[in-house]
Amino acid sequence: TPAAPMKVYVVGDSTGVVFAGGLALYAGQTGKVDVRSGAYRACPMTDVDEFKWYMLTGLDELPVESDCFAARSQWAADFAGWRPDMILVISGPADVSPGHPVGAPSDEWLVPTEPAGRRLLEQGITSTSSVLQSLAPGVPQLWLTSPYILREQEVRGVAYDPDGPQVPAYTDVYNQILTQLSATHPLVAAVPWADYFNAKPISADSDERPDGVHIPPERVAQILAEWFPKLAATRASLLAPPRS
């Protein structure tokens, strides 16, 4: 009897949105996955109402969209009648950007390399994991590390701001926190997704990530031919009984 498709729920920002699209293509090609998504564009895990991103005129303030603030309620609704076998969290760019905390003065912006910015990011990641655990207890969470973003020197013909989201150290902090989370939570794994992209030259981004951030869904589906078995194996390792 063929194995039932693995039920996978995707959480994250716009990188999670396009990953879910690629996973859906992979599911259609293989029949191995039943995928649903609770990922949203412009949706940091941190408690911010704006973050800075590159617009047509350069680095600008981008408001967090209303769908993001309602994301956790949507996760609860999705899990009410459907229990996933695995939760994939694919995020990062929205969280490593300079962020404006909710209720803070208008000129207060935090980045992950500052103590207050790191605490904000740690709180957001830990809170997200805890909410997912409460909504889907016992379900393994696989958090994919975030590749470095916007590795070129400009975007849309606009030169990068020194404090923009492209700073590699910002992404390093995000990934360090994922590693800490996995070390303290037995059903959480930090998956080295970033290594696949960071090891490649910047020129490879034109094919893998044409905008320097997002992988086209068709390319995600191709990569998953190699990576989905790895994700399934990681899930199995989280569920395996501890060795005596």
Side-chain angles (χ1 to χ4, degrees):
T1 302
M6 185 176 294
K7 292 179 288 185
V8 179
Y9 195 71
V10 179
V11 170
D13 57 16
S14 60
T15 60
V17 172
V18 295
F19 185 97
L23 184 56
L25 291 176
Y26 176 79
Q29 295 163 2
T30 65
K32 295 181 178 180
V33 187
D34 174 9
V35 56
R36 302 188 186 185
S37 176
Y40 295 95
R41 175 185 176 274
C43 191
M45 284 178 280
T46 49
D47 189 19
V48 299
D49 51 23
E50 291 181 299
F51 62 96
K52 292 188 178 182
W53 195 256
Y54 287 104
M55 311 302 283
L56 293 177
T57 56
L59 196 65
D60 204 350
E61 299 168 8
L62 183 66
V64 174
E65 298 188 1
S66 58
D67 285 347
C68 181
F69 289 115
R72 296 184 177 191
S73 297
Q74 184 60 54
W75 301 343
D78 291 343
F79 293 157
W82 183 83
R83 177 181 170 86
D85 299 310
M86 173 168 59
I87 297 172
L88 295 180
V89 185
I90 302 95
S91 194
D95 285 296
V96 304
S97 304
H100 178 261
V102 173
S106 60
D107 61 349
E108 182 176 335
W109 292 85
L110 300 179
V111 295
T113 51
E114 299 170 346
R118 183 178 184 118
R119 286 195 299 271
L120 184 72
L121 185 52
E122 287 176 336
Q123 291 166 0
I125 289 173
T126 302
S127 174
T128 299
S129 180
S130 297
V131 168
L132 291 170
Q133 175 62 26
S134 67
L135 294 174
V139 175
Q141 299 175 22
L142 276 61
W143 290 65
L144 275 60
T145 56
S146 178
Y148 295 134
I149 59 174
L150 301 168
R151 294 196 294 168
E152 296 282 0
Q153 297 303 306
E154 60 179 35
V155 60
R156 304 187 189 97
V158 176
Y160 284 156
D161 186 285
D163 296 322
Q166 79 284 349
V167 176
Y170 296 170
T171 298
D172 288 339
V173 172
Y174 176 86
N175 291 335
Q176 290 165 10
I177 296 171
L178 297 194
T179 301
Q180 294 171 6
L181 181 73
S182 67
T184 55
H185 293 71
L187 284 178
V188 174
V191 179
W193 177 249
D195 295 352
Y196 175 85
F197 301 92
N198 292 345
K200 296 186 177 184
I202 292 175
S203 58
D205 279 359
S206 60
D207 294 323
E208 300 272 42
R209 298 182 293 170
D211 65 355
V213 180
H214 303 95
I215 313 161
E218 296 80 8
R219 180 59 184 145
V220 172
Q222 294 172 354
I223 296 172
L224 284 172
E226 172 190 352
W227 272 83
F228 191 77
K230 295 181 180 180
L231 298 176
T234 300
R235 170 189 178 272
S237 70
L238 293 175
L239 294 173
R243 295 182 178 181
S244 58

